[in-house]
Every structure is written in C-alpha cells, then in structure tokens.
Amino acid sequence: MSDSQTASASDLPRAWPFEEARKLADHVATRSSTGADERPALLETGYGPSGLPHIGTFGEVARTSWVRQAYTALTGRPSRLLAFSDDMDALRKVPDNVPQRDMLQKYIGQPLSRVPDPFGTHESFAAHNNARLCAFLDSFGFEYEFASSTQYYTSGRFDAALKRVLEVHDQILAVILPTLGPDRRATYSPVLPLHPHTGEVMQVKMDGIDPVAGTVRWTDPATGEVFETPVTGGHAKMQWKADWAMRWYALGVDYEMSGKDLIDSVRLSGRICKILGGTPPAGLTYELFLDEQGQKISKSKGNGLSVEEWLRYAPPESLGQFMFNQPQRAKRLYFDVIPKTADDYLTHADKARVLQSDNPTGNDLRANPAWFIHKGIIPDDAGSPVPFGMLLNLASVANADTPEVLWGFIRRYDAAVSPQTHPMLAELVKHAIAYYADFVRPAKTFRAPTDKERAALVDLAETLRGFEGEATDASTLQNLVFEIGKRHAFEPLRSWFGCLYEVLLGQKEGPRFGGFVALYGVPETIALIDAALLRDTQA
C-alpha cells in the first residue's frame, strides 16, 4: 500500500498502532504530495533529563516504535525514530532521588548538560541520565537515533530555524502571552539567552530583536548590564513550548505522541509551528500512569515503578504488554499490576503463535499485542505452559524460596518440560520466587471457613481422594470443583472459589483451581485442605 492509498477502518487490524499509522501515513502523504519531499517519515519522542529515566519514558518510546512498526506494515515506506533529550534545559529543582543534593542546589538555572553528575560517572547530570535512557532502550532492542538538544543547538543544526523565530517573534508572543499570568507576561520571551559570564539560562524580557543579525538584546536584572546575544551556535535556547514547535519545524517531525497533561501545550506548539511555516505532526494523546495512591508518577519524585523494579518481578515482554494496553486510559503503575499483566502477555503469545502458523499476514495476528512486542515475528518459545499467577500460588502453598522447589512440581506435572525446552517458563519461575518473597508472603492472611464452606471443603477432600494415583487433567479437576460448589449451593458460584483462595491460600484471588490441583498434586491438595480445617479447629 502506498501513502496515496488510505486504508479504511475496516481494512486495518483492530489495534490502536494501526489507527495511528494511518494518521501518520496521511500526514506524510500531505507533505510529500508535490513530490518534493520524499524523506523517510520522522517519528520523535521527547525526554527531559532533569530526573532519572522512568518507566513512562520507556512507554513513550515503546508505543511510538509500535506505531512505526504498523506504519511499515501499512505502507512499506521507510521511517526514523528520534529520541530527543532536552538536555540544554535548565535545572529548575533538585530531584528527590539523587545523591549530592546540596551540590546540585548550586547549579539551579544552569543547563543540565553543564550540571556536574551527582553520581560521579559522567561529565554531566544530563549525560548520566541520557546514558541511563539509552541503556534501557538498548536493552529492549529499540531501533532509534538518540539526539541531544545541546549538540543540536551548539552544532548549528537549529540556526536557520532560530533566525526564523526572530522574524516572527511578535506573532509567537501573540500566541503565548494570553496564556500567561500578568507577572510572567511582563518578562516572557520565546528566546532564552545563556548568560555569557555565569552560563545561566536567562528568563528575561527582550529589549530588542534583530532578525537580520540573528541576535537579541537583554538586560541582566541582577547587575543592570546589557548584552546582545546571538541566538545561533548554542548561545541561546527556546522556551519549551516554542522549542517544541521550532524542533518540529526544523526537523520536519511527522509524528509525536504526548501525555494528557500536555494537551494545551501541543495546541500552542502546533500554532507556533504553523507561524514558523511548518506543519505540526500527527500524534496520540495518551493517559497518565498513576502510582499506588492514584497520583501522577514523576521523574523527580521517583514515585513510580522503575524499569529495573518491574524486571525483577516479571519478564520484559510483560512490560511491553502493560504499555500496549489501552494507552488512552489511565492505569495504576504499581507492583500489584504485574502478575495479571504477565499472564495477559502469555495468553496473547499463545494465540499469536497459532495465528502466525495459520495466517502470518492476517489482521488477527497483527492486532495481537505479541506481534508488536516481538517486532512481527513470534518466537517458537514465546509463552509458557504454566501461567505466572499459577506459579505464584504454587510458590505460596509450597513456601518456595528457590526455583528448584517449583521445578519439582512442574516436572511431575509434565516430565517433558524443562528450563531448556521452555526458557520463558524458567524466567517466570525465578520472577515468581522474587514476587512471592516480597509481596505475597508478607500479605498472606488465612480466614476460617464458615460451616457451609467447611462442609464443602470436606466434600472436596473426600472426592479428591478418589482420584489419588490416577492421571487426572486440569479440566476434569476444574469440573469437579465446580460440581462441589453447585452441590453445596454457593450463590454466586464465585463465592466458592473465594473460599478456596482465602481459606487455603490466604489471599483474595487465585488461579483456576483445577489447574492448580493438577500442578500441585492431588495428594498435596488434600493435605492442604486437611491442614486448613485442622488450623481452624485449633484457632
């Protein structure tokens, strides 16, 4: 499909990256309709390195990469992804989660690329955070080009666009000033000169604009000294909304997504981009990630999960699944979302392997999150024969502190399964041990059964004794558990399963119980029930 051929909604896989890819294809087709601009589509993500990179930054790159993947599938045309770091921005406050905070306090107002690295590993604070960003993007295999604002400004890459800003300076002011309060309005300029003596990023009123010379004239409010500063060569930078617009214009950005908190900024930057003579990019407005208390996560506060924390408890594919799910809906980003997200990924991976075998170019496969997470090719060993939630429950009842404990049950359940044949399962076992130790074991609370529940549990144990020594599959055992719940008139039936989880496992939710019995073992489950009933009588 060429970009002159716009796919209808019914032609596209039912996945949001393809909807975004169509918007991108339309945008590229419009700007190249004259045949004068045949460059690859340029997708951009922005990063403010004032705090350590967090999982939201990863999410933006991941989601933009999936739009790029869909665009390639849709059009066959080349594209680029630019991960742009605004490392020339000023340090406005000291983050809470870094060392040497007193030292950093002395550099408030300095460009981040000139602030010393409090970790002592890089030439600047920005360089440290940029390296962190690139390290975890590289670890996920993203294909991107890293761009430094400092390098682009100082190399002259933005010089022509900056001179254009001076030509339309008053028009930009007319867009921005109505959005500001009286005090800020009095001193606002889209241009921020760097102080020639202190290096500080100056937020001062411009006394004069010279578009021909490419300079601005301003007064140091502390000393009264007047300076004339070129806007080119890294001697000045732009206020961020104007900077965003200037970047779109200078680089010809075709697509950039942003968070819901930036809706007004996107609108203003789009107007400024048009004033400069450019076309604002297409893009998606995504919802924000929330912490345990429902507050927006913040780089400076460090109140969200880090990539490293997530990967202690689940494989990277599960993080991709979390980012893929409904980007326009706000989601809590906390430890308790990890198990379900991991199992969501496993379910999609299992389906995707079948779809890849049956119809490798079909829309059903391309609508599957695993197709995006695995960059279009689903590995044969993706997925797991045992869900993550089941492993957590097995770790819980076995009080497992090493992977070998879980593998003992898994091998008995299926002798053909091993860490070598199922590497994803091997990874999940390790994660389940860590998650159980940190979150499940400390929170376990068993309750006593009611009289009705006690009778049903006794019935379940007696019925299971009839299956001892037999090879019984999970489906048969699940039907058995259902029948006992119905026999004892549990209404609704899910209250019977709530009893099993709370009385036997010490938690509110759990796995398909038949599958759990098959994995844990019939004799072991009988012993688990007997122990729970005995515990109740001794309480």
Side-chain angles (χ1 to χ4, degrees), residues 249-263:
Y249 166 70
L251 303 178
V253 176
D254 294 303
Y255 186 90
E256 182 160 3
M257 61 176 61
S258 55
K260 182 180 179 181
D261 55 337
L262 297 181
I263 289 176

Side-chain angles (χ1 to χ4, degrees), residues 140 306-320 335 338-343 345-346 383-384 386-396 400-404 406-407 410 422-442:
F140 283 86
S306 70
V307 171
E308 292 83 1
E309 287 172 324
W310 185 290
L311 296 184
R312 169 170 164 75
Y313 301 113
E317 293 85 355
S318 67
L319 179 56
F335 296 101
I338 292 176
K340 183 180 184 305
T341 306
D343 279 337
Y345 159 73
L346 295 175
S384 167
V386 182
F388 186 60
M390 189 77 77
L391 291 172
L392 284 178
N393 286 284
L394 184 60
S396 180
D401 55 6
T402 66
E404 287 70 26
L406 298 191
W407 276 109
I410 295 169
H422 292 78
M424 173 59 74
L425 176 57
E427 196 175 346
L428 290 169
V429 165
K430 294 177 183 177
H431 291 309
I433 296 294
Y435 194 95
Y436 165 67
D438 291 353
F439 299 108
V440 178
R441 183 162 54 196

Side-chain angles (χ1 to χ4, degrees), residues 167-236:
E167 294 173 357
V168 294
H169 183 270
D170 290 347
Q171 295 178 59
I172 295 174
L173 286 181
V175 169
I176 296 293
L177 291 183
T179 69
L180 305 175
D183 293 342
R184 187 72 188 93
R185 194 180 305 150
T187 61
Y188 178 85
S189 170
V191 179
L192 302 175
L194 270 59
H195 199 295
H197 302 324
T198 68
E200 183 180 353
V201 180
M202 302 300 296
Q203 297 202 39
V204 293
K205 181 181 180 180
M206 296 298 104
D207 301 326
I209 303 291
D210 189 338
V212 176
T215 60
V216 292
R217 190 175 70 255
W218 55 281
T219 302
D220 184 340
T223 66
E225 188 174 0
V226 177
F227 296 96
E228 186 156 357
T229 302
V231 296
T232 55
H235 298 288

Side-chain angles (χ1 to χ4, degrees), residues 358-375:
D358 294 345
N359 188 7
T361 60
N363 278 1
D364 287 344
L365 174 61
R366 293 183 177 188
N368 189 302
W371 185 81
F372 292 93
I373 293 168
H374 290 289
K375 301 178 183 178

